[in-house]
Amino acid sequence: MRMKANPDDDTPAIVVEGLVNRFDDFAVHEGLDLTVRRGEILGVVGGSGTGKSVLMRSIIGLQQPEAGRITVLGRNLCGEGAETDLVVRERWGVLFQGGALFSTLSVGENVEVPIKQFHPELDPGLRAEIARYKVMLTGLPESAVQKYPSELSGGMKKRAGLARALALDPELLFLDEPTAGLDPIGAAKFDRLTRELQETLGLTVFLITHDLDTLYEICDRVAVIADKKIIAVGTIPELIATGHPWIEDYFNGPRGRTAHKAHMRGEA
Amino acid sequence: MQSAAQHSLIDDGAGGARLVLSGELTLARIGPLERELRAMEGPVAVIDLAEVEEIDTVGAYVVCRFASAHGSDIAGASPEAERLLAAVRDLETIGDNHPHRLPVWERVPYKLGEHVFNARSGVYGVIGFLGQILIGAANLLRHPSRFPLKALVHQMELVGVSALPIIGLMSFLIGIVIAQQGSVQLEQFGAEALTVNLVGRITLRELGVLMTAIMVAGRSGSAFAAQLGTMKLTEEIDAMRTIGISPIEVLVIPRILAATFMMILLGFYASVVAIVGGAVVGQFGLGIPFVTFLLRIQEVVPIHDLWVGLIKAPVFGLIVALAGCYNGLQVRSNSEEVGRRTTMAVVSAIFAVIVLDAFFAVFFTEVGWE
C-alpha cells in the first residue's frame, strides 16, 4: 500500500529550466533554474521585489513566462510541447498570502469548492464531512466551519486557506508567506502544522517566506533568489558556506543570528 | 494502476465478520464504496487493509468512520497508512458547513425591517456628523491659522476644475437635445421661436444644476467615500487623531467647502454651456442666428430663474459632499465595506438631491418665482 503523495518517487516534483519573466523592459527572471525534490520542504528566500511570488505564479500557471520549461509532477506545463489541459491542478494546493478565501462562502463551503469542482459525483454528505475534517486537521475549532472569512482573524484565515489547499489531498503544496502577519506563537504553530502535515501526508512543499525561524525550523533546503536567478540551493550551513554577500547578510544579520540561536537551543 | 475501491465481507464464524478492502481508497475512487459501506449493517470485527493499493486522507477517514460506527479493529495497514489513520481519527465531523441562512419568505421582511431600523440610526448618524462639522468649523473660526487652505484649493481643483470638460460636454449635449426635441413639438403649434424660452428657462432653473449635482455625486462624492474609507482602513485617520489633528477639520471641511462652492460655479457653467448647445441647434436647425438666440435669452428668461439655480446649487453640493464624507468615515473592518459605502454615498446623494429638487420646485413657484 502506498500513499497518494509518494515521497519515495525519485522523479523531482518541480523542475524549472531557463525561466525568463519580463514586465515591459524590466526582467524579473533571466534564465532561472530550480529543482524541487519529492517530499521535501523547500524554502524560497530573496529580497523584496526579486520575483519570489512571480516564480510561484509561473509554476502554478497564473503567469505566462516569456521563455523556459516548467515540469510539475512529471507533467510539462510550460515550454515546448506543454499541456494545455492542466489536469495536474488536481494534484497541487495553493495557499495565497492573504488566504484568498471566497468571501461570500463560509469556511466549510470554501473547502468544499475544489472537491465539488473535481469530484462532482461525490455524495454531498461525504463532501461536507471531508471539508469539516480538513478544517479541523488544520487546527481550527469546530465553530469556525460555519463562519465567513470576514469573521476570522488573520491567522485563522491562513489556516482556513490551508484547509482549502489540502481539500484534494494534493501531492504538492505551495505556500506564499504563510507566517507573515502572524504573532510569533501563531507562526511557530503554523510551522509545526506544516511540518506535521508534510510528514503525515508525504507532501512536497514549496514555501516562500521571509521568516528566518520558518527556514531554520522546517525547511529541508533553501533556495535563494538574487540577480534574477537562483544563486544557491541547499541547507542553511551549505548556503552560508558559499560566501555570497547577500546570503551572508541574510543569515548572519542580527535577526538571522537570533533565529539560529533559537534553533540551536531547540535542538539541544 | 487505476482500480476502483472494492470490499468483500468474509464471515469466518469465529470472531465475527472480516471486511477486506482493496483497490484505491482515494478521493477520486471512493464514491461508490462509501455509499455501500454507509448502507452496510451488522457488526464487523476487523477491517483488513492489506490489499489496499493506495490510500489518502479521505480513504483513511472513511475507514475510521466505519470502524468507530461498527466497533471494528483495523488490520494490515502500512506504516504510512497508520499515520494517516492517526491523523484523522477522533475528528468530530458531524454538523453543518452552511451558515444559518433565512429562507426567502423570512428574509425579505427581515431585511425590510433591518433597513427601517438602519434608516433611523442613519439619520441620527448624519445629524451627529453635521454637529461634528459645526464644531470643527467653530474651532477653525477661533484658530484661523489652522485653516487647511492648501487642501481646500486642492479639492476645489479636483471637484471643480477637472470636472469642467465632462460637465461641459454633458451640458452641451443636453442643450442640443432639449432644443432639438423641443422644437419638433413646438413646431406643431407654430411656436418654434419659443424654443429659446424652453432652453433658457429649463437649463438655468432645473437641468443645469440637477445634472451637475448628479455628475458631481458620481465623480466626487464617490471619490470622497472611497478615499476616506480607505484611509479609515489603513488607520490613517486613527493616526491623525493620535497626533491631535482633527480629521473633520483637515479632511471633511475642505471637501465640503470645495463641493459647496464649486457646485455654484459648475451649475452656472453647465447652464451656460447648455444654452450654447441650444443656440447651436437654433443656428443650424431652426434658422435662428446664434447671437439672436443669446439676446432672446436675456429677454425671455426672468432673472429669478438664475437665482433659483444658484440657490439650489450649494445645497446640492453640500448634500453630495456630506453623503460622501459621512459614508467614507463609516467604513469599518474590510475592503468590501469600502465598495458598499461608496455605492451608498452616490445613491443616497442622488436620491436626496432629486427629492430636494422637487421641494425646491414647489417652493419657488409658491413664493412667486414662476
Side-chain angles (χ1 to χ4, degrees), chain B residues 129 132-134 136-137 241 246-254 329:
Chain B
F129 186 61
Q132 280 184 311
I133 292 172
L134 288 179
R241 285 215 177 92
S246 156
I248 297 282
E249 283 176 29
V250 298
L251 296 175
V252 175
I253 287 181
L329 290 176

Side-chain angles (χ1 to χ4, degrees), chain B residues 194-271:
Chain B
L194 289 181
T195 307
V196 181
N197 304 40
L198 178 69
V199 172
R201 296 206 65 179
I202 204 168
T203 52
L204 278 169
R205 210 181 157 100
E206 286 294 331
L207 280 186
V209 173
L210 186 64
M211 296 306 287
T212 306
I214 291 173
M215 186 57 95
V216 170
R219 269 188 96 256
S220 304
S222 60
F224 293 169
Q227 245 174 3
L228 297 187
T230 314
M231 289 177 83
K232 194 93 195 273
L233 276 193
T234 54
E235 296 175 319
E236 277 177 69
I237 288 177
D238 294 339
M240 279 181 186
R241 285 215 177 92
T242 56
I243 310 172
I245 302 170
S246 156
I248 297 282
E249 283 176 29
V250 298
L251 296 175
V252 175
I253 287 181
R255 282 174 172 78
I256 285 179
L257 285 180
T260 309
F261 182 63
M262 292 320 275
M263 252 311 290
I264 305 175
L265 302 185
L266 284 174
F268 181 67
Y269 162 78
S271 308

Side-chain angles (χ1 to χ4, degrees), chain B residues 85-315:
Chain B
L85 291 168
V88 300
R89 193 169 286 154
D90 309 324
L91 289 176
E92 182 57 52
T93 57
I94 308 304
D96 195 359
N97 285 357
H98 309 283
H100 185 60
R101 287 185 190 122
L102 291 173
V104 69
W105 60 87
E106 285 180 35
R107 194 165 62 227
V108 172
Y110 178 83
K111 285 276 172 200
L112 187 70
E114 208 178 49
H115 275 299
V116 172
F117 270 106
N118 288 348
R120 199 185 59 172
S121 63
V123 169
Y124 284 154
V126 172
I127 292 172
F129 186 61
L130 261 176
Q132 280 184 311
I133 292 172
L134 288 179
I135 293 171
N139 282 339
L140 285 181
L141 283 180
R142 262 187 287 140
H143 309 278
S145 60
R146 285 218 307 248
F147 189 81
L149 191 64
K150 243 179 162 172
L152 176 64
V153 173
H154 181 63
Q155 288 301 330
M156 280 171 136
E157 188 191 337
L158 287 180
V159 175
V161 180
S162 49
L164 288 178
I166 184 68
I167 287 180
L169 178 67
M170 177 189 73
S171 306
F172 187 73
L173 293 178
I174 286 178
I176 285 179
V177 170
I178 293 172
Q180 199 266 329
Q181 293 295 314
S183 71
V184 171
Q185 298 303 319
L186 291 171
E187 208 174 11
Q188 298 173 15
F189 308 100
E192 261 180 293
L194 289 181
T195 307
V196 181
N197 304 40
L198 178 69
V199 172
R201 296 206 65 179
I202 204 168
T203 52
L204 278 169
R205 210 181 157 100
E206 286 294 331
L207 280 186
V209 173
L210 186 64
M211 296 306 287
T212 306
I214 291 173
M215 186 57 95
V216 170
R219 269 188 96 256
S220 304
S222 60
F224 293 169
Q227 245 174 3
L228 297 187
T230 314
M231 289 177 83
K232 194 93 195 273
L233 276 193
T234 54
E235 296 175 319
E236 277 177 69
I237 288 177
D238 294 339
M240 279 181 186
R241 285 215 177 92
T242 56
I243 310 172
I245 302 170
S246 156
I248 297 282
E249 283 176 29
V250 298
L251 296 175
V252 175
I253 287 181
R255 282 174 172 78
I256 285 179
L257 285 180
T260 309
F261 182 63
M262 292 320 275
M263 252 311 290
I264 305 175
L265 302 185
L266 284 174
F268 181 67
Y269 162 78
S271 308
V272 169
V273 176
I275 289 172
V276 171
V280 168
V281 173
Q283 168 88 44
F284 295 105
L286 308 176
I288 307 172
F290 192 81
V291 179
T292 314
F293 193 103
L294 295 187
L295 288 174
R296 285 285 296 156
I297 290 275
Q298 234 179 5
E299 292 163 24
V300 300
V301 178
I303 191 69
H304 63 238
D305 277 6
L306 176 69
W307 295 129
V308 169
L310 291 186
I311 290 170
K312 288 196 288 190
V315 179

Side-chain angles (χ1 to χ4, degrees), chain A residues 91-133:
Chain A
R91 296 165 65 194
W92 72 46
V94 183
L95 169 63
F96 290 95
Q97 240 186 72
L101 295 165
F102 305 124
S103 56
T104 53
L105 302 178
S106 71
V107 170
E109 289 166 335
N110 258 284
V111 181
E112 282 188 49
V113 170
I115 306 178
K116 212 185 214 162
Q117 174 73 16
F118 285 101
H119 301 289
E121 77 288 348
L122 218 61
D123 179 62
L126 177 66
R127 189 173 67 217
E129 282 178 42
I130 294 174
R132 289 177 77 78
Y133 87 67

